[in-house]
């Protein structure tokens, strides 16, 4: 089994690790595959694990799916989300179909919502135990290991939503999101934001982070800043989040 993953705050990394926990399994970071130009993956089972962004498949993953070739008899996807998965499944099926990727199994798993402009991380972290993540993950793992074939049913609302949002997505290509970040005086130029950015969109200039125009809005820079010096416009809390099973080193290794 090969599990390809993309993760900003560790939820998807944790899930990917759990799915690929046997020694014969391979865990592959999507940002690294993209940077290395690796476009062909072959295995008996291939999985994709990534977060839902704005109730859809993140534009970064859409672009990856357009480039990649997956040769496998069983392709599956698990999307992590916080409050509302919305049209993500329907969207994934549609964009994958355009790239001739046919999924055998898709599931979603509810975890801490890391979207700062909507949620206070204090409340989100406090609500984590009620989400029964380990139990859900165990059942998804059993499904995948048994080669279960299942894709959740789609509703008309989700079909319409996914089509509309695809056309009118506010941050389709990442250009607009950059203006939402503000660096506070506490920044000491440590460069952690540079290291956790999956698309190398941040540079240090005179020991201050400068954002380019390729932001994929994953919020890795914001959540992992050791000085908590990156503010996001409209954020609901100063508290930041990293999945409890994942370290900063893991995120750096995954995204560099
Ligand atoms: C830009 C952005 C948009 C998001 N949109 C949604 C959403 O529409 N619905 C939802 O339930 N969670 C949403 N989330 C929360 C993430 O999907 C969730 O926290 C996910 O588990 C994060 O995974 P990661 O830790 O692997 O990055 C969003 C997060 C970000 C950063």
């Amino acid at each position: 089994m090969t599990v390809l993953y993309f993760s900003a705050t560790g939820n998807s990394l944790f899930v990917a690790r759990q799915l690929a926990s046997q020694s014969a399994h391979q865990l592959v970071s999507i940002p690294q595959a993209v940077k290395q130009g690796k476009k062909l993956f072959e295995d008996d089972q291939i999985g994709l694990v990534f977060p839902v962004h704005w109730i859809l498949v993140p534009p970064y993953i859409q672009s990856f799916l357009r480039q990649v070739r997956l040769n496998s008899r069983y392709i599956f996807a698990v999307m992590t989300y916080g409050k509302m998965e919305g049209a993500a499944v329907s969207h994934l099926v549609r964009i994958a179909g355009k790239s001739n990727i046919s999924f055998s199994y898709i599931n979603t798993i509810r975890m801490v919502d890391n979207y700062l402009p909507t949620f206070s991380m204090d409340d989100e972290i406090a609500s984590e135990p009620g989400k029964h993540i380990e139990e859900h993950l165990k059942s998804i793992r059993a499904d995948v290991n048994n080669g279960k074939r299942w894709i959740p049913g789609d509703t008309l609302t989700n079909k319409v939503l996914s089509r509309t949002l695809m056309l009118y997505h506010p941050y389709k290509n990442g250009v607009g999101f950059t203006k939402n970040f503000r660096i506070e005086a506490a920044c000491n130029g440590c460069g952690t934001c540079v290291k956790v950015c999956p698309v190398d969109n941040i540079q240090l200039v005179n020991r201050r982070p400068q954002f380019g125009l390729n932001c994929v809005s994953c919020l890795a820079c914001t959540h992992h800043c050791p000085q908590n010096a990156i503010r996001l416009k409209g954020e609901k809390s100063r508290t930041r989040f990293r999945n409890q099973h994942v370290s900063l080193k893991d995120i750096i290794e995954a995204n560099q």
Side-chain angles (χ1 to χ4, degrees):
M1 182 193 295
T2 297
V3 178
L4 299 150
Y5 71 93
F6 168 54
S7 184
T9 52
N11 285 345
S12 309
L13 173 52
F14 172 62
V15 171
R17 268 187 190 157
Q18 294 295 308
L19 293 170
S21 60
Q22 288 174 29
S23 57
H25 294 168
Q26 244 205 98
L27 201 56
V28 176
S29 139
I30 292 176
Q32 276 170 17
V34 169
K35 287 176 205 183
Q36 291 160 9
K38 197 160 187 279
K39 291 185 178 164
L40 173 66
F41 295 90
E42 298 181 279
D43 211 332
D44 61 335
Q45 288 185 302
I46 297 180
L48 292 159
V49 184
F50 55 85
V52 170
H53 281 181
W54 291 298
I55 70 163
L56 296 179
V57 174
Y60 177 66
I61 297 296
Q62 295 176 41
S63 142
F64 176 67
L65 289 175
R66 279 195 293 273
Q67 295 166 30
V68 84
R69 243 183 76 206
L70 307 177
N71 283 350
S72 176
R73 62 174 176 82
Y74 186 90
I75 303 175
F76 67 95
V78 179
M79 290 179 277
T80 69
Y81 74 104
K83 273 287 181 304
M84 198 174 70
E85 67 213 296
V89 173
S90 129
H91 187 210
L92 178 61
V93 171
R94 197 143 46 81
I95 55 171
K98 285 186 185 162
S99 304
N100 291 323
I101 297 171
S102 171
F103 283 100
S104 300
Y105 179 89
I106 300 180
N107 213 332
T108 55
I109 181 160
R110 196 163 168 230
M111 303 177 82
V112 165
D113 200 310
N114 66 2
Y115 192 54
L116 290 161
T118 314
F119 300 107
S120 145
M121 290 304 106
D122 301 302
D123 296 346
E124 272 302 300
I125 292 164
S127 75
E128 189 176 5
K131 294 185 175 173
H132 306 290
I133 295 166
E134 308 262 351
E135 260 170 78
H136 290 154
L137 194 45
K138 208 169 144 196
S139 116
I140 291 174
R141 206 170 138 187
D143 286 350
V144 168
N145 289 341
N146 294 328
K148 182 172 171 176
R149 292 182 180 267
W150 181 69
I151 294 174
D154 213 350
T155 62
L156 182 62
T157 317
N158 281 345
K159 278 185 190 158
V160 174
L161 259 178
S162 69
R163 276 166 209 267
T164 317
L165 274 169
M166 265 185 85
L167 288 175
Y168 301 107
H169 198 294
Y171 303 117
K172 223 176 191 170
N173 48 19
V175 173
F177 204 76
T178 294
K179 65 179 185 311
N180 294 324
F181 298 109
R182 184 172 55 80
I183 311 299
E184 285 187 338
C187 171
N188 62 3
C190 71
T192 302
C193 51
V194 176
K195 293 181 193 155
V196 297
C197 176
V199 291
D200 299 335
N201 189 49
I202 309 175
Q203 279 187 330
L204 283 191
V205 178
N206 298 328
R207 293 182 61 80
R208 298 284 286 182
Q210 280 206 353
F211 294 80
L213 296 178
N214 297 318
C215 177
V216 291
S217 64
C218 70
L219 304 187
C221 56
T222 317
H223 281 284
H224 303 298
C225 171
Q227 304 303 318
N228 198 350
I230 305 182
R231 304 265 72 77
L232 188 67
K233 192 174 173 189
E235 65 183 34
K236 293 287 183 288
S237 69
R238 285 187 72 91
T239 305
R240 299 310 196 221
F241 167 72
R242 182 183 314 127
N243 183 287
Q244 59 182 311
H245 305 284
V246 170
S247 67
L248 175 59
K249 186 167 167 274
D250 294 334
I251 301 285
I252 292 174
E253 280 172 8
N255 288 355
Q256 245 188 352

